[in-house]
Amino acid sequence: MASFLRQLVAGPRSRHPEAGLDLCYVTDQIIATSGPSGTYPQRAYRNPLDQLVKFLDYKHGSDWAIWEFRAEGTGYPDEEVYGRVWHYPWPDHHPPPFRLVPMIMAGMRNWLNETEGKEAVLEGKDGKKGERKRVVVVHCKAGKGRSGTMACSYLISECGWTPAEALARFTERRMRPGFGQGVSIPSQLRWVGYVDRWTKSGKVYVERQIEIMEVHVWGLRDGVKVQVEGFVDEGKTIKLFHVFTKKERAVIEGNTPGGGGFTDMISDMAGFQNEGKVGKSKSADQLGSIPAPQTTKPTNNDTTSSTPTSDSDTGAESGGSAVIFKPSTRVILPSSDVNIDFERRNKASMGWTMVTAVAHVWFNCFFEGNGPEQGGKPDDNGVFDIEWDKMDGIKGSSRKGARAFDRMSVVWKAYDPVPEQQGAGEAVIKEPGVDSPVPQMAPADWKGGNKTEPGLGKDLGLRTESPASADVSKASSMKSSGPMDDNDSEEGVRPSGPGGEEDLDADAEDINVKDLPQPEANGSQPTVAAVNAGLDTASSTTPVQGFDG
């Protein structure tokens, strides 16, 4: 039963015929795996933790360590993996807070390089001696989006690979032919491009608070809500900072998307007087320059939050050729990572509303402000520009529903909390050196149930309109997600060995996990009813509290 469930959740991907583990060797020192679990019912359909640990012990002795990225919880306590786990959690289907990247890269580098110069050790049953190399095991939930972003980032920043080469390698080793790219979410791909620029400019990053001045939308359709989000709690949580109301919207005349004078118009509307004072978006064209691989509710302790309190204020928008959303109170994000979220809703009847479009986009103002190209001194303000087709879709997919707009620009500026002391709010972050300690983040509760973002599990379809959801202007979707419809996209994922071979134990003399000593069971074998009742408790979804938001 457990084996059948794991195959059902995995979809059409190949599993190791003996070990039955879902993992791949991106290189001989980087392993990507889906999130394991040591407790029922999750272990019935996820990688069983004890089998994964046995496999790694047999193949690599004590020379392996885990880097995990799950804000929803790892699914196991640290002691189950000898405490050899580094925590840098952030929410599913999103890029990481960029300030985590230097720490992740340095920690992986230091671990992999610590054994250099040590004596050779026995390797294999033939008695041959060889140098045992350390390995890094990266995992999120499916071992694809978040894990792939960090695996590719390491190849770029520490191994000299180009973004195209790194993305192609991860796709080749992780995905079956015909099932798309390994890293496919546009904002995660944008972050891979950021890492390349960060690497080429000396690995310096400057974190600043960012104020959102205006959001300009061309071709806005009816019923679209726009909100601003950012990371809090070391990146484990996405917080809703502002939902734009009707009173904060102005319909104007302007050029259509792609027309001439676009940047000039933004400059005039934002009050910057001329184009030279508004930085241009760096990532819009850059994302398209990375070739596709050719391989087979908010917290109450933040005074900057300005979410509305009534559904009537955030009801259906009339749209227009060009619309400016300008917040009535200052919207200040705690970091340079910015998320703009769109949702299109059409009124139905008897208190119901139909959600017809959901999309969002992340960008980082250090990079959009040309920080790497200007010696770590980014512009004080700028504009991020993107078209609808390049937005992130629902739960990591390309699915966004009906078109909500044609083109969008975000006018931002750096916020200085102490104006008389220029730069007082900046934090210069460099990659820790080889001999320097590398900090890590506090882990999320490994048992799960962590609410990581507003509107978690949102999807297209019917929702209720309720005063209970007025403060965030989003109600919970009626359709709750389970492991079979969670688009962390485990579909098409395949295991592979250090040389890219699909059979990790091809030499027949290797490990058979089932033949190794088995530990005491840590839980009773579940019934089918028990499995069905708790199938998604290891994921990022939270218990559904009814349909009233």
Side-chain angles (χ1 to χ4, degrees):
M1 171 64 71
S3 177
F4 171 75
L5 285 172
R6 284 195 287 272
Q7 293 177 20
L8 187 63
V9 172
R13 60 176 176 180
S14 172
R15 302 187 65 85
H16 188 279
E18 294 177 301
L21 296 175
D22 169 31
L23 61 84
C24 78
Y25 284 76
V26 183
T27 69
D28 59 355
Q29 288 190 284
I30 302 178
I31 298 172
T33 179
S34 58
S37 182
T39 58
Y40 283 113
Q42 292 80 20
R43 65 171 287 134
Y45 55 86
R46 298 286 178 202
N47 262 348
L49 181 65
D50 54 350
Q51 294 186 27
L52 176 64
V53 170
K54 281 201 234 15
F55 178 87
L56 294 171
D57 284 346
Y58 185 88
K59 289 286 191 179
H60 304 286
S62 61
D63 294 323
W64 60 270
I66 291 174
W67 268 253
E68 69 87 11
F69 312 123
R70 298 191 68 181
E72 64 271 24
T74 60
Y76 56 88
D78 290 4
E79 52 268 25
E80 293 293 323
V81 292
Y82 316 116
R84 292 201 302 267
V85 55
W86 292 72
H87 300 282
Y88 299 97
W90 76 86
D92 202 2
H93 313 304
H94 299 281
F98 200 88
R99 68 177 301 142
L100 298 185
V101 173
M103 291 181 278
I104 297 171
M105 299 299 101
M108 292 170 62
R109 177 204 63 207
N110 290 355
W111 169 262
L112 292 176
N113 292 338
E114 275 180 9
T115 57
E116 287 186 355
K118 290 190 176 182
E119 294 183 1
V121 295
L122 289 176
E123 185 76 21
K125 295 182 180 180
D126 56 4
K128 290 183 179 180
K129 289 186 177 182
E131 183 183 357
R132 171 173 282 167
K133 294 182 178 181
R134 280 187 166 183
V135 297
V136 159
V137 182
V138 295
H139 85 72
C140 47
K141 183 177 180 180
K144 182 179 175 291
R146 288 172 286 184
S147 298
T149 300
M150 289 298 97
C152 291
S153 295
Y154 186 84
L155 295 177
I156 294 166
S157 67
E158 308 301 326
C159 304
W161 294 39
T162 67
E165 292 169 342
L167 291 165
R169 167 57 72 90
F170 187 77
T171 297
E172 175 192 357
R173 293 295 177 90
R174 192 65 178 132
M175 304 301 294
R176 287 197 172 285
F179 283 92
Q181 297 176 230
V183 181
S184 58
I185 297 174
S187 289
Q188 291 180 342
L189 289 169
R190 184 176 297 107
W191 252 243
V192 171
Y194 286 165
V195 170
D196 184 47
R197 294 168 57 194
W198 171 73
T199 302
K200 292 175 179 177
S201 64
K203 298 182 179 179
V204 176
Y205 171 67
V206 179
E207 187 78 284
R208 303 177 296 176
Q209 296 182 61
I210 297 297
E211 181 173 1
I212 302 302
M213 307 300 293
E214 297 175 358
V215 176
H216 301 196
V217 186
W218 274 255
L220 185 70
R221 273 54 169 183
D222 289 338
V224 177
K225 300 186 189 305
V226 185
Q227 62 189 43
V228 182
E229 300 172 349
F231 287 117
V232 294
D233 189 22
E234 298 182 328
K236 288 188 284 293
T237 305
I238 298 171
K239 178 181 176 180
L240 173 64
F241 281 87
H242 190 76
V243 179
F244 288 102
T245 69
K246 287 182 177 180
K247 297 176 183 178
E248 298 170 317
R249 180 202 68 206
V251 179
I252 66 168
E253 294 294 328
N255 296 303
T256 57
F262 182 68
T263 306
D264 289 334
M265 182 171 57
I266 291 176
S267 177
D268 292 339
M269 291 188 293
F272 291 126
Q273 306 304 321
N274 59 68
E275 178 184 350
K277 293 184 180 180
V278 183
K280 296 181 180 180
S281 174
K282 290 287 292 184
S283 66
D285 296 331
Q286 175 195 357
L287 189 61
S289 69
I290 301 177
Q294 302 299 314
T295 63
T296 50
K297 205 173 260 173
T299 57
N300 296 322
N301 58 358
D302 195 310
T303 59
T304 63
S305 178
S306 55
T307 55
T309 57
S310 121
D311 268 339
S312 62
D313 284 341
T314 57
E317 309 293 353
S318 61
S321 60
V323 178
I324 300 176
F325 293 96
K326 188 169 185 176
S328 56
T329 58
R330 304 185 78 172
V331 179
I332 300 170
L333 305 183
S335 73
S336 297
D337 306 298
V338 180
N339 186 41
I340 307 297
D341 187 274
F342 286 81
E343 182 184 84
R344 185 180 181 187
R345 302 199 291 188
N346 297 96
K347 245 184 204 310
S349 60
M350 301 183 65
W352 296 96
T353 184
M354 175 68 74
V355 178
T356 59
V358 174
H360 71 272
V361 61
W362 284 94
F363 63 93
N364 183 284
C365 295
F366 173 76
F367 294 93
E368 299 305 325
N370 306 302
E373 292 76 24
Q374 297 175 170
K377 299 184 183 300
D379 297 333
D380 290 332
N381 52 66
V383 176
F384 174 79
D385 179 30
I386 192 171
E387 296 178 356
W388 169 257
D389 293 336
K390 296 181 180 179
M391 299 280 287
D392 296 4
I394 300 169
K395 292 190 289 186
S397 72
S398 60
R399 187 168 60 99
K400 297 186 282 288
R403 181 177 288 269
F405 64 89
D406 295 325
R407 188 173 183 176
M408 183 266 292
S409 292
V410 182
V411 182
W412 59 268
K413 77 170 185 178
Y415 171 74
D416 198 336
V418 187
E420 59 272 15
Q421 300 178 22
Q422 188 173 3
E426 296 182 354
V428 179
I429 300 171
K430 298 182 180 180
E431 183 182 44
V434 174
D435 299 320
S436 301
V438 180
Q440 62 174 310
M441 303 298 102
D445 185 349
W446 68 269
K447 296 177 183 178
N450 306 302
K451 184 168 183 178
T452 59
E453 58 180 296
L456 192 63
K458 58 191 175 184
D459 206 337
L460 304 178
L462 282 173
R463 298 183 189 173
T464 55
E465 293 185 318
S466 167
S469 62
D471 58 342
V472 296
S473 191
K474 283 183 181 292
S476 298
S477 173
M478 286 191 63
K479 178 183 177 184
S480 61
S481 61
M484 263 60 83
D485 60 353
D486 184 341
N487 205 313
D488 200 341
S489 267
E490 299 181 15
E491 185 180 43
V493 175
R494 73 180 181 97
S496 63
E501 70 280 4
E502 212 165 304
D503 186 350
L504 302 187
D505 300 325
D507 26 351
E509 292 293 326
D510 253 346
I511 179 176
N512 182 342
V513 170
K514 294 180 182 178
D515 292 339
L516 294 176
Q518 300 294 314
E520 293 290 329
N522 55 7
S524 59
Q525 185 77 16
T527 63
V528 173
V531 171
N532 290 337
L535 242 137
D536 205 35
T537 54
S539 78
S540 60
T541 56
T542 53
V544 177
Q545 302 294 333
F547 302 140
D548 59 355

